[in-house]
Amino acid sequence: MKYSPFFTSNTSVSIVMLKVLLALVPGIIVYVWAFGSGILVNLIIGSVVALLAEASVLQIRRRPVLPFLLDGSALVTAWLLALALPPLAPWWLIVVGIIFAIVIAKHLYGGLGQNPFNPAMIGYAVLLISFPAVMTLWPAPLSLTAAKLSFLDQWQYIFSRTLPIGVGMDAMSSATPLDYLKTQLTMSHSMEQIWQAPFFGHWAGKGGEMVAAAYLLGGLYLVQQKIISWHIPTAFLGTLALMAGLFHFINPGHFAPPTLHLFAGASMLCAFFIATDPVSGPTTPNGKLIFAAGIAVLTWLIRTYGGYPDGVAFAVLLMNICVPLIDAKTQPRVFGHNS
Amino acid sequence: MNILAKIFNASNGVHPPEHKLESTSLPIQKVAVPERLVLPLRQHIGNMPKVLVKVGDSVLKGQLLAEANGTVSAAVHAPTSGTVVAIDEQVIPHPSGLPDMCITLRPDGQERWVAHDAMDYRSMDRVELLRRLRQSGIVGLGGATFPTHLKLSPKGTHPVVTLVLNGAECEPFITCDDLLMRERAEEIVLGAQIIQSLLGAVECFIGIEDNKPEAAAAMKAACEKSGFAAEVGIVPTLYPSGDARQLIRLLTGKEVPADGRSTDIGIQCFNVATAQSVYRFFAHGETAVSRIVTITGNVARPGNYEALLGTSVDDLLKAAGGDLPNTDGYIMGGPMMGFTLPSSAVPMTKAMNCVIASTPGLFPPPAMEMPCIRCAACADVCPVSLQPQELYWFSKSNNLEKALEYNLQDCIECGCCTYVCPSHIPLVQYYRYAKSESIAQERAQTAADQARVRNDNRLARIEREKQERAQRNALRTAKADTGGDADKQAAIQAAMERAKAQKEGVTPQNTENLSPAVQAEIAGIDALRGDMTSTAPTTETNS
Ligand code: SF4
Ligand code: SF4
């Protein structure tokens, strides 16, 4: 009660982060419905490890632990990484990823607000490079698997890699649509043939496309709540669709249709939850457009020509490097100044 | 007759809780003449006026107590008849809490007016008219307190074509302009007509936020009644639409250049209360003796009170039924740009548009400051399109050069950024600090320059004295050796030549002729400082 402004709006970092978590819930529900409850195990492990890691580092850095734990940023990182990993991956995968994200990518750079790279994507990239085999082993949608694993079965599989008698992992897993498409195209199968594979749904992978649609829904909620601005999702999805559409139009037998790019992989998650991370992204409106368009182009390139199944993580990290430059070059015109 | 003006693109801003209803249920109340009036000499931007009375003098209501001193200055008048009991330093309503010169008056309760007459501004000589206005004590009543006579005789190269009347009153809690427009719209409109004619302007826009429909209706009716072709512009309720530059953009679509004044684009802006004072001055010869102030917050009878200038805040609070339990301080102005009063004993000045009795409930202590998460919520609301998060970063790391490069000096300290920041960073404070720091640095730079000049002068003087000594010695030797041999003569000649040459070599070092440059620099810095204070909360901004 000393200096103006004497009051402020009722907002806080915790509220912002809570709304982000809330916006992820529809996606998680659909995820469980489509692929089983394994993702929940990942989310739980991720959350616990993230909070423990955050608390320990804060303690070591002699920062107030509780307020920073409650800001919710560690949980957001944990959820984003958990959602990006294969749901039946061994338990240590997410543990390693989270510790890397929180301790190295976030706190070594100074903690909340200081990290130049998206922590969840750093965690993801490290895991993808170090453990490519487990990182590309995805479960098939439930509707396609003969054997259904109970929650306990999945829990057990994640922790001890043992399955109920008579169930093999190959019955449970499948390639992801983006991955499958790429390998099939190299074997010079036609797009129509490829599209016949059972795990393709309406626009992208069965199940996956529904999860993506739920992320879209949650993302729109964030835009409506003004937690994120429209710039990044619009520029990312727009550029990705444009790029994919253009190439698909030129050579439909060789390039995946835009709908697949939009609804497969981590596109929707990236558009509304990953690329929109405020800390590691640009702040100016034009900067956001450029940043998101850059991620889309890189994502498409990596998906189409790169060695990895999805390009989102690397695309985001590469664009993170450009943020200071983008911000500096896109300063808006100040009131009363000539351009 | 008067058309509803088109409103240009709403700019950025915030919409805090309005808290206007509390103080608009009662009509304007008159506050009784108090037992003591304290009149700060400096109630305006500019020079301290010259005191014309001494302790013990009896004065009449409206009598000139201190006359405007220099161009940028305003006069002070006796708000009522009585006796001058003191001329000394008293605590004034200023954020610094420092005392300043005041005239203290003991009213005699008679309210005897000095002779005052209506003036016909149409037939009056312009020079004489401005001279009278200069001694009228009328200043901008929106909080900026810039002397009105100066705004009526702008020096710019552009003719003023547009008059903008500011009735936006965008700050929460404040309603004095709202009530004034509801109750005295005709006087405002007549004042606007006088101002428009004095400026030679051809059009007038009246900007009112859409949360004041009664005021807008009253103003429209008054315009129609007096046949004044003003356009009433209903602007969206979005703080800080009452900032002069913001309002001008909303109403005319034009932007005042950042390094200029509105008159550079042919526009002059006046607060509605100022227009009313101008009317009272010409129609009744009344000088600035009273004003309307909103007393609100934690008081028994929040409302608008018309009081004599110099009435203490304590007396105003009493008139409003006194403050209720839990009051923990008093804010002058609105909650977005106001400041905490050093004490409730301070007098009401021309700048005082509102006093809020605050409680921890109304204005809770700020939450813990967290690191900036670069969410750009601040940038989204900044009315000047700055990047507050970058300015914060540069201010915090004391990188003033960068802060200025990112246009720190364009910040109007409106507080929108602080209002929305989820990390509860008191951003404006950082900017205020950085601004004062950069002024201090410039001052230090000037001081260093001056010191260097002084030192150069000193060295030059020492050198000159050395030369003179050498010459004197040479002369002495020459005298002693009158008629000596040619060798010696030559040596003396050489010594004198050397001394002369040296002296010539030194003279240009005498840096006296540098001082105009330094003076120019000082003038430049002073101008900058003036600019800064004028873009700071003191501009004709809110309300
Ligand atoms: S609103 Fe606060 S946290 Fe967000 S960018 Fe601005 S200063 Fe940083
Ligand atoms: S205080 Fe300054 S930086 Fe903050 S919103 Fe107002 S003008 Fe912009």
Side-chain angles (χ1 to χ4, degrees):
Chain A
M1 221 301 303
K2 204 79 188 83
Y3 303 102
S4 63
F6 291 97
F7 57 13
T8 54
S9 57
N10 278 325
T11 172
S12 68
V13 180
S14 313
I15 291 176
V16 170
M17 298 294 173
L18 248 157
K19 284 186 176 169
V20 174
L21 294 178
L22 195 67
L24 283 169
V25 170
I28 295 171
I29 293 173
V30 177
Y31 207 129
V32 171
W33 166 78
F35 295 96
S37 47
I39 190 68
L40 294 181
V41 183
N42 260 347
L43 282 167
I44 294 169
I45 305 174
S47 304
V48 172
V49 174
L51 291 177
L52 285 177
E54 179 91 0
S56 331
V57 185
L58 287 169
Q59 191 80 51
I60 294 165
R61 293 181 60 208
R62 296 181 190 287
R63 304 297 293 271
V65 175
L66 204 61
F68 279 97
L69 263 195
L70 290 180
D71 71 30
S73 58
L75 275 185
V76 169
T77 302
W79 285 30
L80 289 179
L81 183 54
L83 291 173
L85 297 182
L88 289 180
W91 61 273
W92 49 262
L93 193 70
I94 180 122
V95 173
V96 172
I98 293 284
I99 291 180
F100 215 91
I102 300 280
V103 179
I104 313 262
K106 182 177 179 186
H107 280 285
L108 272 196
Y109 283 102
L112 180 68
Q114 309 286 319
N115 47 289
F117 296 104
N118 187 318
M121 289 304 100
I122 288 271
Y124 181 88
V126 166
L127 295 179
L128 188 58
I129 294 166
S130 320
F131 314 105
V134 270
M135 284 294 283
T136 44
L137 191 68
W138 286 79
L142 288 183
S143 53
L144 295 180
T145 51
K148 305 259 184 289
L149 292 185
S150 70
F151 184 67
L152 268 184
D153 290 339
Q154 300 189 31
W155 186 270
Q156 197 174 20
Y157 182 70
I158 288 168
F159 277 94
S160 60
R161 308 304 293 159
T162 52
L163 285 169
I165 320 251
V167 184
M169 192 52 208
D170 43 346
M172 304 294 311
S173 63
S174 85
T176 65
L178 283 169
D179 214 7
Y180 180 76
L181 190 79
K182 201 184 292 179
T183 35
Q184 293 297 305
L185 280 173
T186 50
M187 299 193 305
S188 54
H189 288 145
S190 80
M191 196 59 90
E192 284 86 56
Q193 277 176 303
I194 299 169
W195 210 249
Q196 297 306 314
F199 51 77
F200 280 108
H202 304 286
W203 328 287
K206 245 198 190 102
E209 60 188 18
M210 292 302 162
V211 179
Y215 287 148
L216 171 67
L217 203 71
L220 292 178
Y221 161 76
L222 288 184
V223 176
Q224 185 265 331
Q225 290 287 305
K226 297 201 168 155
I227 300 294
I228 58 174
S229 70
W230 59 268
H231 302 84
I232 288 181
T234 312
F236 175 78
L237 296 175
T239 310
L240 189 60
L242 210 72
M243 187 116 185
L246 187 71
F247 281 88
H248 181 68
F249 178 74
I250 294 169
N251 187 352
H254 193 72
F255 295 103
T259 41
L260 179 74
H261 276 284
L262 293 181
F263 285 89
S267 297
M268 286 297 167
L269 204 58
C270 174
F272 293 98
F273 297 92
I274 297 170
T276 51
D277 167 45
V279 176
S280 55
T283 53
T284 64
N286 284 343
K288 286 176 179 171
L289 295 177
I290 295 170
F291 175 76
I295 296 176
V297 170
L298 289 172
T299 300
W300 186 87
L301 284 174
I302 298 172
R303 279 179 182 176
T304 311
Y305 299 109
Y308 292 104
D310 199 351
V312 162
F314 292 109
V316 168
L317 293 175
L318 282 173
M319 288 311 290
N320 280 162
I321 301 174
C322 312
V323 163
L325 183 71
I326 294 177
D327 267 343
K329 295 288 171 213
T330 54
Q331 288 296 310
R333 187 185 67 89
V334 174
F335 189 98
H337 284 247
N338 298 325
S339 55
Chain B
M1 160 119 292
N2 52 79
I3 327 136
L4 219 52
K6 166 177 190 266
I7 301 303
F8 288 82
N9 248 353
S11 42
N12 299 331
V14 295
H15 190 176
E18 294 176 23
H19 286 287
K20 303 254 190 192
L21 290 178
E22 293 95 313
S23 55
T24 49
S25 57
L26 295 172
I28 298 170
Q29 320 269 306
K30 259 205 147 74
V31 177
V33 178
E35 283 172 11
R36 212 173 74 110
L37 293 171
V38 178
L39 302 157
L41 289 177
R42 216 184 329 233
Q43 298 188 37
H44 55 268
I45 290 181
N47 299 338
M48 176 94 81
K50 234 175 28 228
V51 180
L52 302 176
V53 291
K54 45 187 199 313
V55 174
D57 283 2
S58 290
V59 294
L60 294 172
K61 183 176 178 119
Q63 183 180 329
L64 192 62
L65 299 183
E67 65 174 0
N69 179 15
T71 325
V72 189
S73 186
V76 174
H77 300 80
T80 184
S81 55
T83 317
V84 175
V85 291
I87 302 174
D88 58 1
E89 290 204 328
Q90 308 251 2
V91 178
I92 60 161
H94 189 270
S96 69
L98 294 174
D100 201 8
M101 283 310 278
C102 297
I103 297 176
T104 306
L105 206 68
R106 195 173 51 232
D108 59 12
Q110 315 260 317
E111 287 268 80
R112 277 176 297 136
W113 267 97
V114 76
H116 59 294
D117 291 312
M119 283 161 271
D120 185 5
Y121 67 92
R122 287 188 202 88
S123 59
M124 245 168 111
D125 170 50
R126 194 176 164 80
V127 177
E128 171 63 9
L129 184 145
L130 286 174
R131 194 194 63 78
R132 291 220 199 161
L133 257 177
R134 181 160 163 267
Q135 297 301 7
S136 71
I138 297 174
V139 300
L141 292 178
T145 64
F146 194 73
T148 297
H149 68 274
L150 287 174
K151 286 182 75 174
L152 285 171
S153 50
K155 292 249 159 41
T157 44
H158 287 68
V160 172
V161 287
T162 310
L163 165 65
V164 167
L165 217 53
N166 190 346
E169 197 159 58
C170 58
E171 270 248 25
F173 287 92
I174 311 177
T175 58
C176 55
D177 289 346
D178 184 3
L179 267 279
L180 185 78
M181 286 188 284
R182 289 191 205 185
E183 298 184 14
R184 303 178 197 175
E186 276 178 41
E187 295 193 350
I188 298 172
V189 168
L190 291 171
Q193 279 175 297
I194 298 172
I195 291 173
Q196 179 172 333
S197 125
L198 292 180
L199 285 171
V202 296
E203 56 176 359
C204 172
F205 292 94
I206 303 174
I208 302 172
E209 273 193 345
D210 60 11
N211 60 357
K212 290 179 268 293
E214 295 96 332
M219 292 295 287
K220 268 183 249 173
C223 287
E224 253 155 51
K225 193 171 164 205
S226 62
F228 184 46
E231 295 188 30
V232 176
I234 309 296
V235 302
T237 300
L238 190 71
Y239 174 85
S241 66
D243 172 85
R245 286 166 192 247
Q246 296 294 323
L247 190 65
I248 287 171
R249 210 234 327 239
L250 285 169
L251 293 174
T252 68
K254 292 185 196 152
E255 271 183 32
V256 179
D259 52 358
R261 301 199 172 279
S262 65
T263 46
D264 296 344
I265 53 169
I267 301 172
Q268 189 66 294
C269 182
F270 287 85
N271 177 266
V272 284
T274 315
Q276 193 237 359
S277 311
V278 169
Y279 164 76
R280 303 283 317 169
F281 179 65
F282 283 104
H284 304 284
E286 283 177 20
T287 49
V289 292
S290 66
R291 75 156 292 149
I292 296 164
V293 55
T294 306
I295 307 292
T296 184
N298 198 37
V299 294
R301 268 196 313 280
N304 285 283
Y305 294 85
E306 183 169 23
L308 299 178
L309 294 172
T311 305
S312 74
V313 168
D314 277 329
D315 285 330
L316 295 173
L317 290 165
K318 225 179 282 162
D323 40 66
L324 304 173
N326 261 339
T327 301
D328 65 351
Y330 305 96
I331 294 166
M332 168 167 155
M336 296 302 286
M337 285 180 83
F339 60 90
T340 316
L341 282 175
S343 124
S344 59
V346 295
M348 181 186 79
T349 56
K350 294 170 187 173
M352 193 180 279
N353 50 8
C354 181
V355 174
I356 310 171
S358 76
T359 64
L362 270 182
F363 307 115
M368 183 185 145
E369 184 177 336
M370 298 285 284
C372 167
I373 56 168
R374 291 171 46 84
C375 65
C378 48
D380 288 344
V381 297
C382 177
V384 207
S385 302
L386 296 172
Q387 295 286 306
Q389 77 283 359
E390 309 278 5
L391 291 178
Y392 158 68
W393 185 247
F394 296 137
S395 306
K396 195 179 176 184
S397 53
N398 228 334
N399 190 347
L400 297 178
E401 210 173 296
K402 267 295 205 193
L404 292 174
E405 189 189 315
Y406 275 71
N407 303 306
L408 172 70
Q409 73 284 4
D410 287 291
C411 167
I412 58 170
E413 298 182 20
C414 64
C416 288
C417 49
T418 310
Y419 182 77
V420 298
C421 177
S423 288
H424 308 123
I425 304 170
L427 296 163
V428 194
Q429 243 108 279
Y430 283 98
Y431 310 149
R432 289 191 189 121
Y433 161 79
K435 281 185 185 177
S436 61
E437 212 35 29
S438 98
I439 293 169
Q441 270 190 11
E442 304 241 11
R443 274 209 207 116
Q445 185 57 47
T446 325
D449 285 349
Q450 284 172 331
R452 208 178 51 235
V453 170
R454 268 200 302 276
N455 192 41
D456 284 352
N457 285 341
R458 199 183 112 250
L459 291 179
R461 196 185 66 239
I462 291 170
E463 192 56 32
R464 201 168 52 235
E465 283 168 5
K466 215 159 89 194
Q467 304 295 322
E468 282 162 9
R469 255 198 318 279
Q471 262 182 343
R472 273 200 304 276
N473 285 345
L475 237 82
R476 247 202 320 277
T477 336
K479 270 192 203 132
D481 287 334
T482 27
D485 65 279
D487 264 9
K488 254 197 179 144
Q489 283 285 345
I492 291 161
Q493 192 59 35
M496 286 182 72
E497 222 105 270
R498 230 175 16 247
K500 196 170 157 225
Q502 263 182 20
K503 193 181 170 193
E504 270 164 10
V506 162
T507 334
Q509 263 192 30
N510 192 332
T511 35
E512 248 149 46
N513 51 358
L514 252 188
S515 67
V518 175
Q519 267 170 9
E521 202 174 324
I522 298 166
I525 288 155
D526 277 349
L528 179 78
R529 207 183 50 197
D531 251 51
M532 280 189 152
T533 41
S534 71
T535 49
T538 40
T539 9
E540 182 114 13
T541 51
N542 46 350
S543 66

